[in-house]
Amino acid sequence: MERSTAILAALIVYLVALLALGFVAQRRTRDAAGFYLGGRTLGPWVAALAANASSSSAWSLVGTSGFAYKNGLAALWLIPGCVGGFVLNWWFVAPRLRSQTGAAITLTDFLAGPDGAPGRRPLALFASLLTVASLATYVAAQMQAAGGAFRHAFDADLSLGIVIGAGVTIAYTLLGGYLAASITDTLQGLLMVAVAVLVPAVAVANLGGVDATLAAVAAVDAPGFHDLAGGRAGAAGLAFAFGLVGIGLGYPGQPHAVNKFMGMDPNASMTVARAVGIGWAVLLYGGMLVLGWTWRATATLPAGQHEDVLYAASAQLFPPLVDGVILASVLAAIMSTVDSQLLVCASSATHDLGLRPRTERGMLRLARGAVLAVGVAATGTALCLPADVFDNVMFAWAALGSGFGPLLLVRLAVGPVAPGHALAAMLVGGLGAIGLYYAPLVQGGFDERVLAWLAAGAIAWRGARRAAGVLG
């Protein structure tokens, strides 16, 4: 069977399955609250895999392997950064957020309080703007990765792949909302970890085993490849390392991931969910780092195409049918993660801003219309942005992580935050991260992922003390 035929067959089967799941979920989605949060019915396995897949996806497969290929051993800092972020979410955020959510449907609901709460309106407005702007870039990055997969699979134009991937994802999200997103993200998570184990294992075997691979990687002749700072010295090296570790601080601030904690069944086992979530992260990120290093010792990719590692390895190491299944699985995984982000954008643009028609049917129609509008806007963004998945995701990640993460952690650990301080924490964290991304004090991501986060955290902490009456 030809490679393109095998990929097409596997892709069609998977996409039909996604749409079928969307129709099934549609029958269980009767109102806007169910569309956005699924009735809080997620079990531990679904919650763990869906939350992890929502916060990882394209950049964890394509971006992480490419980063390791390009930067060598310096990519090791992604392990404490990324896996540490999952540990923070599953040990601290998930159990507290599930128990404290109450009637809140969105993360903004939880942080800003219910309708009529003091200071809710400006806080909800800024939170919505930050969410939509950041996640539109995030969604666009996922669509770019889907376009790249189409290009490698069928030698098709990048734009065609972006449009096809966006169309299918928007379709099943429109049908089933939160339940469809959670179910498909669970399947996505399983596919991602399977690819992260299989492809690196075969790549290592192709070089002759573990010892031969270690020797081959050690022999790579590239500046800074064997340096944990990537060839950077002094403060620049420290900023680079802390910038990558600082990725972990952003995990609590990703609304498309933490809303899976809000949607967990109150009786679901947090112990099981925690073990599945953290174990999955170790396998995924460890596997992608190994693949990037191994492929750098195996083959040379054209300049600027370091994020093609996974596609190149799959095409060279596997027969057409297996290669087709791997690429189709990765492509489907990339597309299906967009669903959770579309839902969060839609809920921010409607529910959080108080756009609520009088009837349940009207609210559900508005929710689906918002998903469609955001999906179309993100598709247009994907066609215009520079196609570097890792950088585009890190921009959105920093803005969301610093804008929401510190405030959420303080809210969960200490209690309510004074409205003025809550808004200030979001402004300093979100806008500070965006500003420092474009005008950093030091290079390497330290400013937007760590400095902006710490500043927002200090403001939120002071706001919690004021709300508790400790400060006058």
Side-chain angles (χ1 to χ4, degrees):
M1 182 182 294
E2 291 186 1
R3 178 172 177 267
S4 59
T5 303
I7 295 172
L8 182 61
L11 183 60
I12 289 175
V13 169
Y14 192 90
L15 295 184
V16 169
L18 290 181
L19 292 174
L21 290 172
F23 278 108
V24 171
Q26 182 186 33
R27 300 180 64 179
R28 298 174 58 186
T29 303
R30 298 180 177 85
D31 53 32
F35 188 81
Y36 287 138
L37 206 57
R40 293 182 170 86
T41 58
L42 301 188
W45 279 81
V46 173
L49 292 170
N52 284 17
S54 297
S55 62
S56 301
S57 193
W59 83 271
S60 62
L61 291 173
V62 178
T64 302
S65 57
F67 191 83
Y69 178 96
K70 180 180 180 181
N71 292 278
L73 295 186
L76 270 173
W77 294 110
L78 288 174
I79 294 296
C82 296
V83 176
F86 283 104
V87 171
L88 175 61
N89 264 359
W90 281 111
W91 279 96
F92 182 82
V93 176
R96 289 167 175 79
L97 187 59
R98 180 176 66 169
S99 64
Q100 296 182 29
T101 296
I105 293 177
T106 66
L107 180 61
T108 297
D109 264 352
F110 178 71
L111 294 176
D115 286 344
R120 173 186 165 85
R121 184 64 181 175
L123 205 159
L125 176 61
F126 178 74
S128 299
L129 292 174
L130 180 64
T131 298
V132 173
S134 299
L135 283 186
T137 305
Y138 207 139
V139 169
Q142 313 295 351
M143 293 178 178
Q144 288 174 330
F150 264 103
R151 186 186 69 223
H152 282 271
F154 306 111
D155 196 25
D157 181 75
L158 183 70
S159 300
L160 177 63
I162 289 174
V163 172
I164 293 174
V168 173
T169 309
I170 293 169
Y172 74 75
T173 306
L174 284 173
L175 288 170
Y178 186 91
L179 285 178
S182 297
I183 294 170
T184 54
D185 283 353
T186 300
L187 183 55
Q188 170 199 358
L190 292 171
L191 288 169
M192 290 171 69
V193 78
V195 168
V197 171
L198 175 64
V199 180
V202 174
V204 169
N206 179 65
L207 280 179
V210 175
D211 290 340
T213 298
L214 291 174
V217 171
V220 170
D221 185 14
F225 190 84
H226 303 101
D227 181 5
L228 285 175
R232 301 164 183 84
L238 288 175
F240 172 80
F242 280 113
L244 292 181
V245 173
I247 291 173
L249 296 175
Y251 277 83
Q254 307 305 313
H256 52 289
V258 299
N259 74 350
K260 300 299 190 299
F261 308 148
M262 298 171 66
M264 285 186 70
D265 187 315
N267 298 314
S269 172
M270 187 60 69
T271 300
V272 172
R274 184 179 292 141
V276 172
I278 296 174
W280 182 94
V282 171
L283 290 174
L284 185 83
Y285 288 97
M288 287 298 97
L289 290 183
V290 169
L291 178 61
W293 296 326
T294 302
W295 205 249
R296 184 63 182 266
T298 302
T300 300
L301 295 174
Q305 296 185 20
H306 53 282
E307 291 188 341
D308 291 347
V309 168
L310 183 57
Y311 307 130
S314 178
Q316 185 169 323
L317 297 176
F318 296 94
L321 182 58
V322 179
D323 176 34
V325 172
I326 290 174
L327 269 185
S329 299
V330 173
L331 179 60
I334 290 169
M335 290 189 296
S336 64
T337 198
V338 174
D339 48 23
S340 297
Q341 297 163 338
L342 289 177
L343 284 171
V344 169
C345 284
S347 65
S348 292
T350 56
H351 174 84
D352 291 341
L353 294 181
L355 303 179
R356 301 168 191 173
R358 296 179 180 179
T359 66
E360 287 293 343
R361 184 182 296 274
M363 291 176 67
L364 189 55
R365 188 180 298 115
L366 176 64
R368 289 193 166 111
V371 167
L372 180 61
V374 172
V376 171
T379 303
T381 303
L383 296 172
C384 300
L385 278 178
D388 190 314
V389 175
F390 191 92
D391 284 346
N392 290 335
V393 168
M394 284 298 98
F395 165 79
W397 186 272
L400 292 169
S402 295
F404 293 120
L407 179 59
L408 176 61
L409 291 176
V410 171
R411 174 74 174 79
L412 292 174
V414 181
V417 177
H421 286 76
L423 179 59
M426 279 193 186
L427 287 167
V428 170
L431 296 182
I434 293 172
L436 289 170
Y437 179 88
Y438 287 108
L441 302 175
V442 293
Q443 298 294 326
F446 175 78
D447 293 351
E448 66 268 25
R449 295 176 210 149
V450 180
L451 285 184
W453 194 97
L454 290 175
I459 295 171
W461 176 263
R462 186 173 180 82
R465 290 171 60 82
R466 181 176 292 277
V470 177
L471 298 177

